[in-house]
Amino acid sequence: MKTPFFKLLQRSLLSLSVAVTLVSTSSWGAIASVPQAPDSIAAESRHYTLGTNVVAQALPQVRVQTVASVGMTVSDMERALAFYTQVLPFREISDVEVWGSEYERLQGVFGVRMRVVRLQLGNEVIELTDYLTPEGRPIPADSRSNDRWFQHMAIVVSDMDEAYQVLRRHNVQHVSTAPQRLPDYIPAAAGIEAFYFRDPDGHNLEIIYYPPGKGDPRWQQPTDQLFLGIDHTAIAVSNTDTSLAFYRDVLGLEVAGESENYGTEQEHLNNVFGARLRISGLRAPNGMGIEFLEYVTPRDGRSLPMDTRANDLVHWQTTLVVENADIAAQRLRERGYTFVSSDVIEMQDDQLNFQRGFLVRDPDGHVMRIIER
């Protein structure tokens, strides 16, 4: 016969067992489901609290160290090289042909064989990729500057009139009606001169002149060169705050400047009637900048087609260097961003100038290649 004391003790033990089970299946289960960072990350810290408190795990913040390069897919490498080294004064620094499963998984395209050429202007590097197999689709013929697949790189010049005449002599395709001097009523951009044009595949490019007091001080140094380097790559975005959540809050880039540009000069620069843009410039400690172009008006820019792949000519990829690609990938997965690569890819060689990396899309579909060296 069980005494009242024994029954009370039995009920207490049962209640304790249920409580331990609930903690085991909720709090500890949540801990087990979070991938662990490598032990080599000294900055990592973890805090586990049982009961009613939240179980939290703090990983190191992701900080992009360098915006290392910007690249695009081209249809004919020899034609592209003639343009970038003869019309523009880039110089070739490497030329490789790559194929294999790691490149398929990196680019998200089966059966790839790619010729990749790296070019340099000033301190900056661009990367041209020709898919020998499989070939992709051309850029839509009716692309406009406010379509959200728009991306360009801004090439700094020391003299806008002279640089424009060089482009005219080579019959480049205009986007802007002519070089535009941005007006004084836009304080952040006053006096800057710019002109949009296209390469042979239809990729948008910009030449830009910074007057004294504007831009990086290095663009003001005395020089006998006409084309100096790349200041930034610009991307069309649908919502600045949404893009900041990706580039600033996850990847650690810092906002370096903001402006709202409008007026006839801006309209003729972009060749978009009624263009009014919210512009935000972001920077890492090293390398070129990344600039957001949010069209406040008009709002009819088209989204990137969902089936776009890396071998399509509309594809650009901007290379960001981080300390640990696994941590960056985990942060981006946690927030639901779309990956092009199957995972963080271990490269069997260093022909693409990195050892581990992956491709991921920002909120508007622009591709960032996150690498560690």
Side-chain angles (χ1 to χ4, degrees):
M1 179 177 174
K2 297 178 179 178
T3 66
F5 174 81
F6 182 86
K7 292 179 180 179
L8 179 61
L9 178 61
Q10 189 178 44
R11 286 196 297 269
S12 298
L13 289 172
L14 179 60
S15 299
L16 179 61
S17 175
V18 170
V20 170
T21 300
L22 288 172
V23 168
S24 177
T25 58
S26 58
S27 299
W28 289 110
I31 294 169
S33 70
V34 178
Q36 300 299 301
D39 292 336
S40 62
I41 304 296
E44 179 180 8
S45 64
R46 299 185 180 92
H47 304 285
Y48 303 131
T49 306
L50 298 180
T52 59
N53 294 330
V54 175
V55 177
Q57 180 182 31
L59 294 171
Q61 285 190 321
V62 178
R63 293 292 182 194
V64 170
Q65 300 166 335
T66 305
V67 180
S69 67
V70 61
M72 69 282 284
T73 300
V74 302
S75 62
D76 182 324
M77 184 61 79
E78 294 306 322
R79 183 179 68 170
L81 287 176
F83 178 83
Y84 282 97
T85 63
Q86 296 174 28
V87 179
L88 298 172
F90 285 82
R91 65 179 184 87
E92 184 179 313
I93 56 176
S94 69
D95 185 343
V96 299
E97 198 167 302
V98 297
W99 66 94
S101 61
E102 68 266 38
Y103 298 103
E104 295 175 347
R105 291 183 289 116
L106 179 70
Q107 301 300 126
V109 178
F110 176 74
V112 298
R113 188 182 186 102
M114 305 181 294
R115 181 182 174 189
V116 182
V117 178
R118 290 165 58 82
L119 303 172
Q120 186 170 353
L121 179 64
N123 297 327
E124 288 73 47
V125 172
I126 68 171
E127 192 174 86
L128 306 179
T129 302
D130 185 357
Y131 282 77
L132 306 179
T133 62
E135 292 187 7
R137 298 170 296 184
I139 296 173
D142 61 346
S143 288
R144 299 198 306 160
S145 300
N146 62 327
D147 290 325
R148 286 188 288 278
W149 57 76
F150 175 92
Q151 183 164 355
H152 78 216
M153 59 182 177
I155 301 167
V156 182
V157 298
S158 58
D159 185 296
M160 176 57 69
D161 291 337
E162 186 179 347
Y164 177 59
Q165 290 306 316
V166 169
L167 300 180
R168 286 300 305 271
R169 287 197 294 271
H170 288 91
N171 299 312
V172 300
Q173 182 183 2
H174 284 54
V175 176
S176 307
T177 54
Q180 302 294 317
R181 182 192 181 279
L182 298 181
D184 293 341
Y185 60 75
I186 306 174
I192 292 174
E193 298 175 45
F195 172 72
Y196 284 13
F197 61 106
R198 292 192 176 102
D199 78 359
D201 282 306
H203 301 110
N204 286 277
L205 305 173
E206 178 185 37
I207 52 173
I208 188 167
Y209 167 76
Y210 289 105
K214 291 289 193 298
D216 192 306
R218 70 190 175 109
W219 305 130
Q220 312 299 331
Q221 299 299 315
T223 179
D224 58 357
Q225 301 298 310
L226 179 58
F227 297 90
L228 306 181
I230 302 170
D231 182 75
H232 63 268
T233 182
I235 55 176
V237 304
S238 56
N239 183 282
T240 298
D241 294 334
T242 301
S243 294
L244 285 173
F246 178 90
Y247 289 96
R248 182 193 62 194
D249 300 343
V250 179
L251 296 178
L253 294 171
E254 295 186 357
V255 177
E258 296 181 302
S259 181
E260 186 163 326
N261 290 14
Y262 59 96
T264 186
E265 295 88 355
Q266 190 69 45
E267 292 175 330
H268 286 87
L269 174 63
N270 304 123
N271 207 352
V272 175
F273 179 68
R276 188 181 189 105
L277 284 73
R278 178 183 176 188
I279 300 177
S280 303
L282 286 83
R283 293 274 174 181
N286 300 292
M288 65 187 79
I290 296 177
E291 188 174 274
F292 298 164
L293 307 175
E294 180 188 348
Y295 280 77
V296 179
T297 60
R299 301 291 296 179
D300 59 354
R302 294 166 293 179
S303 298
L304 181 77
M306 294 292 291
D307 62 348
T308 299
R309 299 196 301 170
N311 58 332
D312 293 327
L313 298 190
V314 77
H315 173 87
W316 291 63
Q317 59 188 37
T318 305
T319 299
L320 311 178
V321 181
V322 298
E323 182 177 356
N324 188 290
D326 291 310
I327 298 296
Q330 178 177 331
R331 290 291 197 197
L332 291 161
R333 284 196 196 97
E334 288 171 351
R335 287 156 179 80
Y337 293 110
T338 300
F339 280 63
V340 175
S341 305
S342 59
D343 203 344
V344 178
I345 307 301
E346 299 274 354
M347 309 306 295
Q348 300 303 310
D349 52 49
D350 62 353
Q351 292 197 82
L352 295 186
N353 202 37
F354 66 93
Q355 297 174 330
R356 306 177 75 249
F358 62 93
L359 273 60
V360 64
R361 294 191 183 278
D362 78 359
D364 290 293
H366 301 288
V367 173
M368 298 295 119
R369 183 169 70 179
I370 313 293
I371 67 169
E372 63 178 64
R373 289 174 172 162

